[in-house]
Amino acid sequence: MVPEHRPHLALVGGMGTGKTSVGALVAARARRRHIDLDRWVQADTGRSIGVLFAERGEEGFRDAEQDSLERALGLSEPIVLSTGGGVLGRPVNREALASRSHVVWLRATPETAAERVGDGRGRPLLEDDSPVDVLRRLAGERAPLYEEAADLAIDTDGRSPDDVADEVGAFLEHLLGAVS
């Protein structure tokens, strides 16, 4: 039996877990292209995330996110993809990630994540309440989705992006060795 072809590596997790920083480091070390999904959404729509939320609501943003995700996962070159925290909320996104990428869940406590995101400026989901309270609620809602999707889970509390990237890189090297 031929194993399924999953050329990409995707980082999932909540806000402030290090997906973008770690993804950029892993991609550079592995000589892969790094794609930050939120940046692709912005480029594809010509709108910032905040403007998308204001104009289209969260559902409209998720539509744009889904389109950008499909485009990124359709690339023939292997990439390292840093996703948005809510990308797994749609079954179609979970299926796309599962079929085209190996998924690494970066975890951090809500307190650590809140320290990393600061006052939440520019993050629409954090605008109406204290960041730690919102992050705690989102972590509780999303953890089962992350856990189900993840091929590997890594705690990032108290760790530098370089240290976490080392662990993700070792996982990627293991995957590449298994394919050879």
Side-chain angles (χ1 to χ4, degrees):
M1 181 173 155
V2 177
E4 62 186 321
H5 181 63
R6 297 191 290 166
H8 309 304
L9 179 73
L11 303 179
V12 301
M15 288 180 252
T17 59
K19 298 179 305 285
T20 300
S21 300
V22 171
L25 288 167
V26 171
R29 294 173 185 178
R31 294 187 174 92
R32 288 185 176 206
R33 181 177 177 186
H34 176 243
I35 294 175
D36 180 286
L37 189 58
D38 282 346
R39 289 187 188 135
W40 265 41
V41 170
Q42 291 177 69
D44 287 348
T45 63
R47 302 273 191 269
S48 72
I49 303 300
V51 168
L52 278 172
F53 265 78
E55 291 178 352
R56 303 180 189 177
E58 184 173 358
E59 204 55 33
F61 166 75
R62 298 294 172 202
D63 291 341
E65 180 182 56
Q66 180 180 328
D67 291 344
S68 295
L69 177 66
E70 289 172 6
R71 192 165 69 84
L73 293 176
L75 294 172
S76 59
E77 67 181 291
I79 61 168
V80 175
L81 177 67
S82 298
T83 68
V87 74
L88 295 177
R90 289 190 169 181
V92 66
N93 292 347
R94 293 193 300 272
E95 292 166 15
L97 283 162
S99 68
R100 298 286 296 154
S101 66
H102 294 277
V103 177
V104 176
W105 174 20
L106 299 186
R107 300 183 294 207
T109 64
E111 293 76 19
T112 295
E115 285 177 26
R116 292 175 180 167
V117 300
D119 65 7
R121 194 177 323 261
R123 296 177 185 257
L125 294 177
L126 297 182
E127 291 177 353
D128 295 332
D129 205 347
S130 84
V132 73
D133 289 341
V134 173
L135 292 168
R136 189 175 289 119
R137 178 181 53 77
L138 290 173
E141 292 170 0
R142 295 174 175 173
L145 298 175
Y146 296 144
E147 186 172 3
E148 182 181 326
D151 296 301
L152 174 69
I154 300 174
D155 292 314
T156 66
D157 290 299
R159 298 177 69 187
S160 71
D162 276 318
D163 185 38
V164 176
D166 287 344
E167 190 170 345
V168 175
F171 174 69
L172 182 59
E173 286 179 22
H174 170 76
L175 291 172
L176 295 174
V179 172
S180 316

